[in-house]
């Protein structure tokens, strides 16, 4: 881990506003000067290296300020073509641009004594252009144009090379060049009267920067860890401390899923339906899980993620959606986001009595026992405080047999309570705090989390406490016929500006505007949506387990941030391959039954659409889902899974289906 500083030099980005709809000629194009210029760059990085002989390879992620993007604010003369309109000039007002960049890169180098020469490349983020206003000197109606934040559909990336030198055992310095391409940024200026301008600006820069790194373990050569170093360090730690407490951890995973279904019968389709003609889609996610121990019991964690591809029907078509391992926000090109960054503090309560507690989150999966967790001994009775950006499901509604779609069930219904309308952005993460109190046979949990700024938004509510979710969970551990089991009781409340479904339907009848629109902001008021459920995990015999979730929510209100379910029952079995001599294989099968409240049935019957469903009409019957999978271990850390899902009444609609979904998942981890 370390810090860097240097300078960035932008490539020419362009400053042209192209006349679009409403204009007859490009003679009406506008030109504004390009204000991008060289500027400072500084930031921080964290990574992990391996070494084989003289070759060093690794991964690295960083976050940096880059002061090269500058807004084109001011007054400018208009082209002569505007003179007949009485327009002599125009003004531009632009908000701050995204003067930062983040990367998730691989690194390959060759070590010579204490020196390392390397190349690097990977996915980048940032570089957007700020929202802008365009005003003409003639104050006639339609002379004010507005453009939101810029968008880019292409992959942002960074490539470069560098030289690193080991100054001392754990300190090294580097000189690095990066070419940063944050792609063509597009904005559309619109005056609300079908007249538009289009602006396209490149966000590219060359960077030269110096860096200083601190290695969290003894180094070999230019800084990579050899197997012997790691073994010696572990023995030294155990001898001196009497325990194996990790100072840092770096883990990763990549999951790719291809799913498809053949044609199926459907009397009609809507904006959020599975297309009845059949379809196949691929999507993937790649994550780095990095953690560092700050002091006794405390660790800080960061998780960059690269996503690519789409879910079936662009992540719509069923309330118990078919794939929770692929981001709902689909894009053809890979894109990167920092999905988690949080602090976790463990406070012991029983005077130092220690026990091993890997806090495993998924049946027989090494990844779940290590990601976002520093190994070590902890008090049996303890408090755990987690603060930052993370997923509500990281703490609540866990189940050892069904919770991780990268290794187990793919369907929503089997990884989370269907009626648990938890706070999240469109990717499933939010800002919040959670406190856990673990005792001998029970655990109590409570948390507060920010809702999205409007339901099902990509943005989290920016004002702390303005819109939030409160959640509490009580867990009891027991033995039943000498087999361990866990039962959890969960309650939650979403406190925010929500639509009441009946009011949306009444408004449609009053105005004659159909179908009713649940996204109508004018009808939203501060309301509290309540819900809860029970979660059971029970070992039947060694290597064979049963799970069950039952949940219900107040169906008078719209879906806030999860899916379109007001009540659900799901249950299933999971068996380890140890039963048939393949210890790392796994097989699972489960069923789920979901339903809607009366107000929501009326809303969808009138053609309304929501987060995941909307067929244009509704012949209501509760949605039924079945899933079965077999996970085959190819090698250490590499699995291939065959998956099958059956849907009866998809989207709670008896007029469509059944649908048979076939899937293949490839998963690798370290």
């Amino acid at each position: 881990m370390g810090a860097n500083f240097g300078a960035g030099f932008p490539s020419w980005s362009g400053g042209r506003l192209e006349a679009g709809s409403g204009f007859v000629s490009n003679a009406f194009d506008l030109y504004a000067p390009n204000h991008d210029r060289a500027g400072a760059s500084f930031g921080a990085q964290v990574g992990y290296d391996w070494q084989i002989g003289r070759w060093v390879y690794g991964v690295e992620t960083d976050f940096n300020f880059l002061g090269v993007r500058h807004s084109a604010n001011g007054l400018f003369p208009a082209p002569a073509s505007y003179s007949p309109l009485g327009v002599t000039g125009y003004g531009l007002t632009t908000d701050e641009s995204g003067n930062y960049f983040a990367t998730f890169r691989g690194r390959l180098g060759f070590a010579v004594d204490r020196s390392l020469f390397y190349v690097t490349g990977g996915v980048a983020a940032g570089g957007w252009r700020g929202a802008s206003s365009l005003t003409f000197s003639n104050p006639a109606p339609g002379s004010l144009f507005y453009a939101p934040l810029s968008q880019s559909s292409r992959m942002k990336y960074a490539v470069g090379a560098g030289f690193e030198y080991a100054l001392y055992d754990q300190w090294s310095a580097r000189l690095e060049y990066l070419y940063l391409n944050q792609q063509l940024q597009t904005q559309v200026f619109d005056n609300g009267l079908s007249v538009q301008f289009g602006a396209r600006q490149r966000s590219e820069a060359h960077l030269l920067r110096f860096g200083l790194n601190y290695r969290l373990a003894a180094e070999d050569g230019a800084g990579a860890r050899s197997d012997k170093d790691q073994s010696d360090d572990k023995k030294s730690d155990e001898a001196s401390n009497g325990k194996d407490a990790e100072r840092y951890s770096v883990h990763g995973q990549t999951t790719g899923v291809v799913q498809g279904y053949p044609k199926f019968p459907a009397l009609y389709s809507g904006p959020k339906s599975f297309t009845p003609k059949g379809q196949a889609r691929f999507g993937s996610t790649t994550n780095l899980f990095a953690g560092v121990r700050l002091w006794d019991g405390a660790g800080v964690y960061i998780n960059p993620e690269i996503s690519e591809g789409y879910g079936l029907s662009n992540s719509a078509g069923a309330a118990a959606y078919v794939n929770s391992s692929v981001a709902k926000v689909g894009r053809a090109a890979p894109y990167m986001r920092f999905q988690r960054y949080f602090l976790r503090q463990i406070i012991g309560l029983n005077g130092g009595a220690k026990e091993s507690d890997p806090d495993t989150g998924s049946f027989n999966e090494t990844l779940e026992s290590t990601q976002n967790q520093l190994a070590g001994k902890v008090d049996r009775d303890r408090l755990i405080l987690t603060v930052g950006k993370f997923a509500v499901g990281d703490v609540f509604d866990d189940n050892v047999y069904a919770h991780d779609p990268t290794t187990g069930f793919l369907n929503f219904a089997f990884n989370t309570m269907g009626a648990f309308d938890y706070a999240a952005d469109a990717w499933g993460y939010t800002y919040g705090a959670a406190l856990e109190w673990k005792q001998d046979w029970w655990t109590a949990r409570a948390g507060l989390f920010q809702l999205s700024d409007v339901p099902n938004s990509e943005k989290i509510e920016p004002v702390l406490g303005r819109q939030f979710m409160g959640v509490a969970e009580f867990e009891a551990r027991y033995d039943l016929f000498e087999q361990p089991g866990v039962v959890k009781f969960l309650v939650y409340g979403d406190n925010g500006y929500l639509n009441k479904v009946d009011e949306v339907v009444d408004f449609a009848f009053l105005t004659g505007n159909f179908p009713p629109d649940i996204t109508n902001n004018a009808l939203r008021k501060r309301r509290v949506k309540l819900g809860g459920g029970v979660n059971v995990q029970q070992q039947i015999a060694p290597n064979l387990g049963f799970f069950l979730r039952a949940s219900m929510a107040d169906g008078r209100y719209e879906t806030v941030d999860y899916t379109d379910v007001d009540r659900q029952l799901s249950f299933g079995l999971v068996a380890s391959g140890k039963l048939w001599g393949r210890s790392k294989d796994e097989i699972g099968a489960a069923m789920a039954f979901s339903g809607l409240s009366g107000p929501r049935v009326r809303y969808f019957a009138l053609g309304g659409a929501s987060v995941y469903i909307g067929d244009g009409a509704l012949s209501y019957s509760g949605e039924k889902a079945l899933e079965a999978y077999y996970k085959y271990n190819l090698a250490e850390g590499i699995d291939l899974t065959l998956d099958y899902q059956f849907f009866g009444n998809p989207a709670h609609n008896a007029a469509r289906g059944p649908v048979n979904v076939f899937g293949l998942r490839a998963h690798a981890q370290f």
Side-chain angles (χ1 to χ4, degrees):
M1 61 185 297
N4 66 78
F5 64 93
F9 305 90
S11 300
W12 183 83
S13 61
R16 180 181 176 188
L17 279 70
E18 300 175 359
S21 61
F23 293 94
V24 296
S25 168
N26 59 8
F28 290 93
D29 289 358
L30 302 175
Y31 295 86
N34 176 19
H35 287 180
D36 288 357
R37 59 180 181 271
S41 172
F42 56 86
Q45 66 270 353
V46 60
Y48 195 85
D49 288 332
W50 295 265
Q51 183 166 354
I52 301 177
R54 291 182 177 271
W55 290 99
V56 177
Y57 62 97
V59 291
E60 180 172 295
T61 186
D62 58 0
F63 186 87
N64 312 268
F65 170 80
L66 178 61
V68 301
R69 314 286 177 221
H70 297 277
S71 304
N73 292 313
L75 298 174
F76 308 97
S81 55
Y82 283 87
S83 296
L85 303 176
V87 175
T88 58
Y90 65 95
L92 277 175
T93 303
T94 305
D95 294 343
E96 287 296 321
S97 297
N99 286 323
Y100 76 92
F101 73 94
T103 69
F104 184 8
R105 294 175 283 114
R107 201 165 75 133
L108 176 64
F110 188 79
V112 180
D113 193 22
R114 300 177 68 85
S115 301
L116 176 69
F117 300 88
Y118 65 89
V119 293
T120 183
V123 179
W128 42 264
R129 302 286 176 160
S132 303
S133 296
L134 167 66
T135 307
F136 287 97
S137 58
N138 182 355
S143 62
L144 176 62
F145 293 75
Y146 175 77
L149 290 177
S150 65
Q151 302 289 330
S152 177
S153 60
R154 302 176 183 177
M155 185 183 81
K156 302 174 183 180
Y157 63 90
V159 294
F163 166 76
E164 188 165 2
Y165 185 79
L167 301 173
Y168 305 101
D169 284 346
Q170 291 179 269
W171 289 94
S172 65
R174 68 163 64 164
L175 174 64
E176 184 176 73
Y177 162 79
L178 282 180
Y179 168 67
L180 176 67
N181 190 328
Q182 294 169 306
Q183 289 301 345
L184 188 67
Q185 300 292 318
T186 301
Q187 289 178 289
V188 176
F189 289 78
D190 193 302
N191 68 348
L193 299 174
S194 300
V195 181
Q196 295 179 336
F197 288 90
R200 293 184 292 178
Q201 292 179 285
R202 292 193 173 277
S203 292
E204 302 174 16
H206 302 272
L207 288 91
L208 185 64
R209 58 185 188 173
F210 299 92
L212 186 65
N213 287 328
Y214 177 76
R215 306 276 167 171
L216 294 173
E219 295 184 3
D220 179 19
R225 299 275 291 151
S226 69
D227 292 340
K228 183 178 184 300
D229 286 333
Q230 296 177 36
S231 176
D232 290 346
D233 285 349
K234 182 175 180 179
K235 291 176 182 178
S236 175
D237 285 345
E238 290 174 344
S240 60
N241 300 327
K243 61 182 181 179
D244 182 18
E246 283 185 316
R247 297 174 61 194
Y248 67 94
S249 67
V250 178
H251 303 280
Q253 78 85 30
T254 183
T255 301
V257 178
V258 59
Q259 286 183 309
Y261 59 87
K263 292 191 296 183
F264 66 89
L267 297 181
Y268 47 80
S269 297
K272 294 289 185 75
S273 297
F274 283 138
T275 173
K277 296 181 180 180
Q279 190 179 80
R281 288 289 185 269
F282 172 80
S284 68
T285 56
T286 300
N287 302 82
L288 180 70
F289 305 95
V292 177
R293 189 178 300 277
L294 299 179
W295 54 78
D296 186 26
V300 62
Y301 303 85
I302 186 170
N303 296 168
E305 178 179 276
I306 298 173
S307 300
E308 178 186 15
Y310 299 88
L312 290 172
S313 294
N314 201 23
S315 297
Y321 188 66
V322 297
N323 191 349
S324 47
S325 71
V326 173
K328 182 169 66 175
V329 184
R331 294 179 187 170
Y335 66 96
M336 173 194 164
R337 288 174 59 88
F338 283 101
Q339 302 291 31
R340 295 183 182 92
Y341 37 89
F342 62 90
L343 170 73
R344 177 172 290 144
Q345 174 71 60
I346 299 175
I347 304 171
L349 297 178
N350 59 350
K354 307 292 184 182
E355 69 167 5
S356 295
D357 186 356
D359 211 11
T360 305
S362 180
F363 184 64
N364 199 32
E365 288 293 329
T366 302
L367 177 64
E368 282 293 309
S369 67
T370 56
Q371 68 180 24
N372 289 334
Q373 179 175 281
L374 293 164
K377 306 294 183 181
V378 296
D379 283 10
R380 181 182 181 88
D381 300 334
R382 61 194 184 275
L383 296 175
I384 304 171
L385 176 65
T386 306
V387 180
K389 185 186 180 190
F390 55 102
V392 173
D394 292 344
V395 178
F396 298 89
D397 194 29
D398 191 10
N399 192 298
V400 71
Y401 298 115
H403 195 58
D404 184 356
T406 68
T407 59
F409 293 100
L410 285 168
N411 192 287
F412 276 21
F414 309 122
N415 291 304
T416 306
M417 295 178 186
F420 183 16
D421 200 356
Y422 60 86
D425 61 14
W427 289 268
Y429 303 88
T430 187
Y431 297 105
L435 181 65
E436 303 174 73
W437 181 11
K438 291 196 172 187
Q439 292 290 298
D440 180 33
W441 61 271
W442 59 268
T443 300
R445 301 180 179 91
L448 289 172
F449 298 88
Q450 293 287 94
L451 296 176
S452 53
D453 61 348
V454 295
N456 190 39
S457 170
E458 296 183 9
K459 299 179 181 179
I460 300 169
E461 168 60 54
V463 180
L464 185 64
R466 181 173 181 266
Q467 298 188 91
F468 63 92
M469 178 194 74
V471 57
E473 183 179 68
F474 181 80
E475 170 185 326
R477 296 176 287 276
Y478 60 87
D479 285 338
L480 180 64
F481 302 115
E482 298 183 346
Q483 300 297 327
V486 176
V487 59
K488 302 180 181 182
F489 302 94
L490 181 145
V491 294
Y492 74 92
D494 293 328
N495 188 324
Y497 291 90
L498 310 176
N499 266 327
K500 193 172 184 178
V501 179
D502 277 342
E503 291 182 2
V504 173
V505 171
D506 291 344
F507 183 80
F509 277 106
L510 181 65
T511 61
N513 292 325
F514 288 94
D517 182 9
I518 201 68
T519 66
N520 188 339
N521 279 323
L523 300 177
R524 285 187 168 128
K525 301 175 184 177
R526 177 170 289 282
R527 295 182 168 104
V528 178
K529 178 179 179 179
L530 301 175
V534 60
N535 176 341
V536 177
Q537 65 181 52
Q538 177 63 56
Q539 181 173 296
I540 299 173
N543 305 309
L544 177 63
F546 168 81
F547 74 91
L548 178 146
R549 286 185 174 96
S551 57
M552 182 176 291
D554 189 342
R556 295 177 298 168
Y557 304 112
E558 64 180 306
T559 298
V560 182
D561 286 328
Y562 188 39
T563 193
D564 302 308
V565 169
D566 296 323
R567 56 184 179 273
Q568 186 180 83
L569 172 68
S570 64
F571 54 88
L573 296 170
V574 176
S576 167
K578 291 180 180 179
L579 294 174
W580 55 92
R582 289 192 54 84
S583 62
K584 295 184 179 180
D585 286 11
E586 187 174 275
I587 190 170
M591 296 183 66
F593 302 89
S594 307
L596 293 173
S597 66
R600 300 241 279 179
V601 170
R602 290 189 290 274
Y603 171 78
F604 288 113
L606 291 169
S610 185
V611 179
Y612 281 95
I613 65 174
D615 292 332
L618 183 67
S619 300
Y620 178 70
S621 185
E623 185 178 84
K624 303 172 180 64
L626 179 149
E627 181 176 5
Y629 71 88
Y630 187 92
K631 183 176 66 178
Y632 183 83
N633 180 251
L634 298 173
E636 183 66 31
I638 303 176
D639 301 311
L640 194 65
T641 301
L642 293 174
D643 185 87
Y644 168 73
Q645 298 180 47
F646 171 85
F647 283 89
N649 310 324
H652 311 285
N653 198 340
R656 295 172 51 83
V659 183
N660 295 278
V661 180
F662 302 89
L664 179 66
R665 176 180 61 205
H667 172 77
Q669 65 188 46
F670 70 86

